[in-house]
Amino acid sequence: MLVYIKLVLTAIFWGGTFVAGRVLAQEMGPFSAAFLRFLLASIFLCLLVSRHEGRLPLLKRRELLLAVLLGLTGVFSYNALFFSGLKTVTASRASLIIASNPVLIALCSAFFFKEKLYVSTLFGILFCVLGAVVVISRGNPLEIFRGSMGWGEVYIIGCVFSWTAYSLVGKVIMKNLAPMIAVTYSCLIGAVALSYPALLENLSYTVTHCSLQAWMSIFYLGFFGSALGFWWYYEGIQMIGASRAAVFINIVPVSAVLLAWLLLKETIDLSLLLGLVLVSSGLFLTNRKTACSAHHIVE
């Protein structure tokens, strides 16, 4: 019973990352926000790994190369795009666009790893795509072709491509490396990569002048949204299996929309509700057959 409670809480934590990210994006540059998030996450993850595993193992040359790719895709590029997009895109809309990432992961897994695309997966892909289009266009798909989509939406769509690359690389590295070890290395490498552009954004000034609300968001993202969330999710995979654990990912967009409405007073209009129904349905169908490959590491 406890493992199911942890998985539900993890999904809610991940939904809350969009709210905290939206708050943080209004106060500092994307690289500074991403660096502070993963500096804190790396500290917590190292403490968790040292407590449960003893220490971080040294990586072989090929594993190190793959870990660098993980850090550059899932931490560096994803979060730079994530915080850039959240400057102009609401947390609820961003969460629904990013929630469609299993679509691209499933398609790329079929292409690169020859994984089967089941009928349920194809319907899930269709629903996710339709949901994302409805959300991006605010209920009028023709507006996309008229150039109404802003840079914020482009950045958030870029997150989907970054996460897909991260997941595909993760699929390879986790054949020989425990998931939490791979996650910890990717966070460490990503934090190091983010440090220089964060300094160029005048990180020292940002750190001394950001609000208490911003620091609370950084702590939430680093601890609840990253370290604890990753730990509980992989604990759930070990106890009940990847397929059953991945079902809880369906809660993420729902919790993100509700938390954005509750905490940020974001409006839930008809296009958002329709997008939520379509994306959630698509996630359910996609996760039925692609759970093991599509969710190695989550937001």
Side-chain angles (χ1 to χ4, degrees):
M1 183 63 181
L2 181 59
V3 66
Y4 293 105
I5 294 174
K6 287 183 177 180
L7 286 170
V8 170
L9 288 174
T10 296
I12 294 172
F13 291 160
W14 283 334
T17 60
F18 292 91
V19 174
R22 174 74 169 162
V23 170
L24 202 55
Q26 309 309 307
E27 287 206 29
M28 61 181 68
F31 292 105
S32 298
F35 170 71
L36 291 172
R37 172 187 182 177
F38 283 95
L39 174 64
L40 195 62
S42 296
I43 293 171
F44 285 130
L45 282 168
C46 286
L47 290 173
L48 286 170
V49 169
S50 64
R51 178 182 175 184
H52 291 270
E53 305 289 339
R55 64 180 179 83
L56 273 176
L58 294 177
L59 299 182
K60 298 176 182 177
R61 182 178 299 178
R62 182 171 181 272
E63 292 171 341
L64 180 59
L65 175 61
L66 292 171
V68 169
L69 290 175
L70 283 180
L72 293 179
T73 54
V75 177
F76 183 90
S77 65
Y78 176 92
N79 283 272
L81 292 166
F82 178 74
F83 288 109
S84 295
L86 283 173
K87 283 188 176 296
T88 56
V89 178
T90 61
S92 51
R93 293 192 182 276
S95 70
L96 292 180
I97 297 171
I98 292 178
S100 65
N101 70 57
V103 171
L104 193 56
I105 295 173
L107 291 174
C108 289
S109 295
F111 181 80
F112 289 108
F113 301 115
K114 309 304 178 185
E115 293 185 1
K116 292 182 179 180
L117 285 177
Y118 297 89
V119 174
S120 62
T121 304
L122 292 174
F123 275 106
I125 288 172
L126 177 62
F127 287 163
C128 281
V129 170
L130 288 175
V133 169
V134 168
V135 169
I136 292 170
S137 65
R138 290 173 172 77
N140 187 0
L142 292 177
E143 290 297 316
I144 294 177
F145 301 101
R146 294 171 184 162
S148 64
M149 186 170 67
W151 277 107
E153 286 83 1
V154 173
Y155 290 139
I156 297 299
I157 292 171
C159 289
V160 176
F161 286 91
S162 295
W163 199 258
T164 298
Y166 184 55
S167 298
L168 296 178
V169 175
K171 181 178 178 64
V172 176
I173 194 173
M174 289 180 201
K175 290 180 180 178
N176 302 310
L177 205 63
M180 280 306 301
I181 301 299
V183 169
T184 302
Y185 267 112
S186 68
C187 288
L188 286 166
I189 292 168
V192 171
L194 287 163
S195 61
Y196 182 67
L199 289 172
L200 294 180
E201 285 183 341
N202 203 357
L203 178 65
S204 59
Y205 179 86
T206 298
V207 168
T208 56
H209 288 80
C210 63
S211 67
L212 176 61
Q213 188 179 36
W215 279 113
M216 291 173 64
S217 297
I218 291 169
F219 178 80
Y220 179 90
L221 288 164
F223 182 70
F224 292 102
S226 299
L228 188 60
F230 289 151
W231 190 265
W232 280 0
Y233 184 67
Y234 287 113
E235 187 178 73
I237 288 176
Q238 289 176 339
M239 295 184 69
I240 66 173
S243 297
R244 292 169 68 188
V247 171
F248 290 85
I249 302 303
N250 299 325
I251 300 172
V252 175
V254 178
S255 65
V257 170
L258 291 177
L259 287 171
W261 170 73
L262 182 65
L263 300 176
L264 300 180
K265 309 302 180 185
E266 292 184 0
T267 303
I268 301 179
D269 58 22
L270 185 59
S271 67
L272 198 65
L273 282 175
L274 179 57
L276 178 61
V277 171
L278 287 168
V279 169
S280 296
S281 300
L283 282 175
F284 175 76
L285 292 171
T286 305
N287 283 337
R288 288 180 65 184
K289 295 296 184 182
T290 59
C292 293
S293 62
H295 296 293
H296 289 294
I297 306 169
V298 190
E299 293 84 341

